Amino acid sequence: MGKWSELPPEILHLISLKIDNPFDLIHFRSVCSFWRSSSLLKFRHTTSLRCPLPLDSGGCGDDCHILSSRVYLLKSHNHDRPRYWLFKLQVKEDGEVVLHSLFLRRNSSVYGCLYPTLSLDLLNCQIVELAQEHVACYSDWYELFECVSKCEERIGFMGLTTENNEFMILGKLSFNGLAMYKSVDKCWTELEITPDSCFEGIVPFKGKFYAIDRNGGTTVVEPTLQVNTFQRSRPCDKTRKRWLVMSGDKLILVEMCTKSRYNFHIPNIREKKIWFEISELNEERNDWDQVEDIDGRVLFLEHYCTFSCLATEIPGFRANSIIFMDLWGGSDSYEHESILVFEFNEHGVRSLRDIPEYIELFPYPPGWVISN
């Protein structure tokens, strides 16, 4: 084919069917009127993937499904200075798309109720996808209160096809230990590991699942259900909480540390001396190698989603820094005080409000976005 404008309409339509990002589809349809008429009219969000849990004695668990979200960075240059905003789009069980804050609290109102008609001027801005998040949502029976409650749990998600029609997930959910669900088999398989392990992070990496527990033990799960475990050769007795984060082509372990456990449980974290330690996965030795910084990147540590981006993506971002939510719930609202920043070169924690260039990134849509 000599020219892109001469692609057959049926090929263009097939290409549009493969696009899994709503903003990419808009850009695809904007190339020319011929591409627009030959492609999907509107992005088709699929309903949630289902992974029914085995029925327990209370009859709960069979409604388990996966809520998927995408984290985006909006860059607008139609102003005196560049503007940036981080936000999340979550696909509900029925396919409805809801706007969320990046650091969403369970008991807070969703932005979809506050801004149901929010629109973006894509001619004057660029939208970049930074991460995807998957959460298992299911019903559970609480014997103490004799009631059914909705539960959300972090999981590791691995799509096996471009459309994610076939997938694997790893999580604890209502099981004693970890369990894997394969869409091909349509069933859960409990793994033979320590049943009382509390996992603080589960991520897919190079075709395997990695999980870290609160004692620092790493569990590696193959798609074949083969399980391997290892401990860090140089454990840190000051670690209070851990996260696993994909950073470029590396898997890194993030550890929040305090001198004593007593300090970790005292609000306010900004008045305490805490620090973070970073280690990279060494696949050959099954170990974590401690490093001094994070290669000029910024880490985002959310309850359900962890990811990184280069500091150069957003002018003003400080390299080798970590942005995370106040773990102690110091604020019940989306005030900037509840979002904290740790910088390796400063060795301290600051509130987002103390860094002016960060404020409009979080958490509400800034005025210039709403005006669009």
Side-chain angles (χ1 to χ4, degrees):
M1 187 66 61
K3 299 180 180 180
W4 55 265
S5 59
E6 297 177 359
L7 284 171
E10 57 272 18
I11 298 297
L12 292 171
H13 184 71
L14 288 175
I15 293 174
S16 70
L17 289 173
K18 297 291 184 180
I19 297 176
D20 68 344
N21 185 315
F23 300 108
D24 287 345
L25 180 62
I26 293 174
H27 292 144
F28 182 86
R29 288 172 47 80
S30 301
V31 171
C32 64
S33 58
F34 176 59
W35 280 37
R36 184 162 56 251
S37 63
S38 303
S39 56
L40 282 176
L41 177 62
K42 185 178 180 181
F43 185 77
R44 297 186 299 188
H45 290 282
T46 59
T47 55
S48 296
L49 301 172
R50 304 197 65 81
C51 45
L53 291 165
L55 291 174
D56 58 22
S57 57
C60 302
D62 60 330
D63 64 339
C64 186
H65 59 278
I66 300 172
L67 293 179
S68 61
S69 305
R70 296 170 186 260
V71 178
Y72 294 100
L73 170 64
L74 173 65
K75 304 179 180 182
S76 177
H77 301 283
N78 191 25
H79 297 83
D80 296 335
R81 63 181 179 86
R83 306 276 185 139
Y84 304 91
W85 178 45
L86 285 164
F87 65 99
K88 183 196 300 182
L89 292 182
Q90 183 184 77
V91 182
K92 307 286 281 186
E93 185 179 4
D94 59 1
E96 178 189 5
V97 180
V98 180
L99 178 65
H100 280 297
S101 162
L102 177 59
F103 291 97
L104 176 69
R105 295 195 175 190
R106 294 186 183 183
N107 59 352
S108 300
S109 299
V110 296
Y111 288 159
C113 299
L114 300 177
Y115 301 99
T117 59
L118 181 66
S119 60
L120 302 174
D121 181 6
L122 296 184
L123 292 177
N124 294 301
C125 65
Q126 177 186 8
I127 297 181
V128 180
E129 182 178 319
L130 295 180
Q132 294 190 21
E133 167 195 288
H134 298 90
V135 177
C137 182
Y138 62 99
S139 298
D140 201 4
W141 172 257
Y142 284 85
E143 295 184 3
L144 180 62
F145 301 101
E146 295 186 349
C147 65
V148 176
S149 177
K150 281 291 185 181
C151 299
E152 292 185 0
E153 296 288 347
R154 66 169 65 89
I155 56 173
F157 178 90
M158 191 183 302
L160 304 179
T161 61
T162 305
E163 300 82 8
N164 288 336
N165 295 328
E166 301 296 341
F167 61 93
M168 296 188 302
I169 65 175
L170 182 73
K172 187 169 183 179
L173 283 65
S174 61
F175 301 99
N176 290 325
L178 285 175
M180 180 181 286
Y181 181 88
K182 293 185 177 182
S183 60
V184 175
D185 301 329
K186 293 183 172 59
C187 68
W188 288 88
T189 304
E190 289 195 68
L191 307 180
E192 296 182 1
I193 59 173
T194 306
D196 60 349
S197 295
C198 179
F199 292 93
E200 297 184 303
I202 305 174
V203 296
F205 181 68
K206 294 185 178 180
K208 306 175 185 178
F209 286 109
Y210 287 80
I212 191 82
D213 64 35
R214 60 185 172 187
N215 297 316
T218 304
T219 300
V220 187
V221 183
E222 304 270 0
T224 59
L225 300 181
Q226 178 181 346
V227 178
N228 297 305
T229 60
F230 65 88
Q231 287 281 348
R232 182 179 174 183
S233 59
R234 295 179 58 191
C236 176
D237 60 358
K238 306 298 183 183
T239 300
R240 310 300 174 219
K241 186 170 177 58
R242 298 171 176 84
W243 295 264
L244 293 178
V245 186
M246 284 288 298
S247 181
D249 59 351
K250 301 175 182 177
L251 179 61
I252 64 174
L253 169 63
V254 182
E255 297 176 285
M256 179 189 286
C257 306
T258 61
K259 291 184 178 180
S260 71
R261 294 189 179 275
Y262 175 76
N263 288 340
F264 181 72
H265 294 288
I266 301 177
N268 171 336
I269 190 174
R270 277 166 282 170
E271 298 174 356
K272 297 179 296 184
K273 292 184 178 179
I274 73 161
W275 71 93
F276 286 85
E277 293 192 358
I278 304 294
S279 303
E280 295 180 0
L281 175 66
N282 187 318
E283 295 179 81
E284 295 182 358
R285 295 193 296 107
N286 277 339
D287 201 356
W288 296 99
D289 296 334
Q290 188 170 342
V291 295
E292 294 299 321
D293 55 40
I294 46 180
D295 295 331
R297 305 182 77 90
V298 180
L299 303 186
F300 296 84
L301 308 179
E302 202 197 21
H303 183 70
Y304 296 122
C305 181
T306 60
F307 64 96
S308 73
C309 74
L310 289 169
T312 52
E313 285 281 353
I314 307 177
F317 252 21
R318 290 168 166 79
N320 299 312
S321 62
I322 298 176
I323 299 176
F324 62 105
M325 200 72 179
D326 181 358
L327 303 177
W328 293 262
S331 172
D332 292 329
S333 65
Y334 279 97
E335 295 297 329
H336 292 104
E337 286 87 347
S338 63
I339 303 175
L340 307 176
V341 180
F342 175 86
E343 299 174 65
F344 281 87
N345 59 342
E346 295 292 338
H347 295 287
V349 174
R350 292 194 289 170
S351 165
L352 199 72
R353 187 171 291 280
D354 298 329
I355 312 176
E357 57 266 43
Y358 280 17
I359 288 181
E360 77 171 16
L361 284 166
F362 313 91
Y364 293 108
W368 60 269
V369 171
I370 299 172
S371 64
N372 285 341

